[in-house]
Amino acid sequence: MIDCSAAPVAVFLAVLILQLAMQFLHQASKSSQQEARVVSEIRSLLREANALAGPSTFAQSAKLRRAANAKEKELSQIRIEAKGKNASTKLVLFVVKACFYCAFVWWFWQTPVASVPAHLVQPFGKVLSFPSKVSEAQSLVQIGILPWLVLSTRVSLSIANAVLK
């Protein structure tokens, strides 16, 4: 079992790893090498077709435009295949993320994740200690799992966006 002092760090690291995996998968689905190659071929074909826009080279220009249209169809097929592959992986990762979150909530529901001096979280003390009880006599605020998961998710999402930009 995780010591109470290591619990916030362990929860944050687990959430960060899951967010990094989600962002990495999102970045990988955006661009692939094959897709980039086809896009560059389409651009070069269209540039050549525009250069041959005169009446004497109309046939060559039309042929290049038809080749560019064929490449655009190939590009759309590549994107559809990549989307199908990544959809199942994203679903599995989402289920894993939901299982982790449910496990953390079940594990830490009645026990606080961390204790913070009350003066550091002055206006938000009761919100941060949601599942736990706040005692007015103590100078510590017991941070509950739900606010900690929300905070960890937002911070790790910002870190993942900065790292995988």
Side-chain angles (χ1 to χ4, degrees):
M1 187 161 187
I2 297 177
D3 183 27
C4 190
S5 62
V9 175
V11 171
F12 177 75
L13 287 177
V15 171
L16 179 64
I17 290 168
L18 290 169
Q19 288 292 349
L20 284 170
M22 293 285 278
Q23 287 298 103
F24 179 75
L25 186 63
H26 182 68
Q27 291 289 335
S29 68
K30 274 189 172 179
S31 64
S32 67
Q33 291 178 351
Q34 185 180 14
E35 185 178 336
R37 179 187 54 81
V38 172
V39 167
S40 67
E41 287 176 7
I42 290 171
R43 286 183 184 154
S44 67
L45 286 171
L46 289 176
R47 263 190 248 118
E48 289 178 38
N50 288 336
L52 300 173
S56 62
T57 57
F58 176 76
Q60 290 175 331
S61 176
K63 185 177 179 181
L64 289 173
R65 288 188 193 284
R66 285 193 300 274
N69 287 340
K71 289 288 183 184
E72 285 178 0
K73 288 180 183 175
E74 179 184 341
L75 178 63
S76 68
Q77 189 65 27
I78 290 170
R79 288 181 176 163
I80 288 170
E81 289 174 5
K83 188 176 180 180
K85 289 178 186 175
N86 288 333
S88 61
T89 309
K90 283 183 181 180
L91 179 65
V92 168
L93 198 53
F94 177 76
V95 169
V96 167
K97 187 176 175 181
C99 289
F100 264 97
Y101 280 38
C102 289
F104 285 137
V105 168
W106 179 74
W107 194 0
F108 291 109
W109 184 253
Q110 291 297 323
T111 59
V113 176
S115 299
V116 178
H119 69 278
L120 291 178
V121 291
Q122 183 63 33
F124 305 109
K126 290 185 181 184
V127 173
L128 290 175
S129 63
F130 167 61
S132 316
K133 304 285 187 252
V134 177
S135 89
E136 300 296 329
Q138 290 182 342
S139 63
L140 294 176
V141 174
Q142 307 294 324
I143 297 183
I145 187 63
L146 293 179
W148 184 252
L149 279 175
V150 169
L151 183 66
S152 296
T153 301
R154 296 305 301 165
V155 170
S156 63
L157 183 62
S158 298
I159 291 171
N161 283 335
V163 168
L164 297 175
K165 197 168 193 181

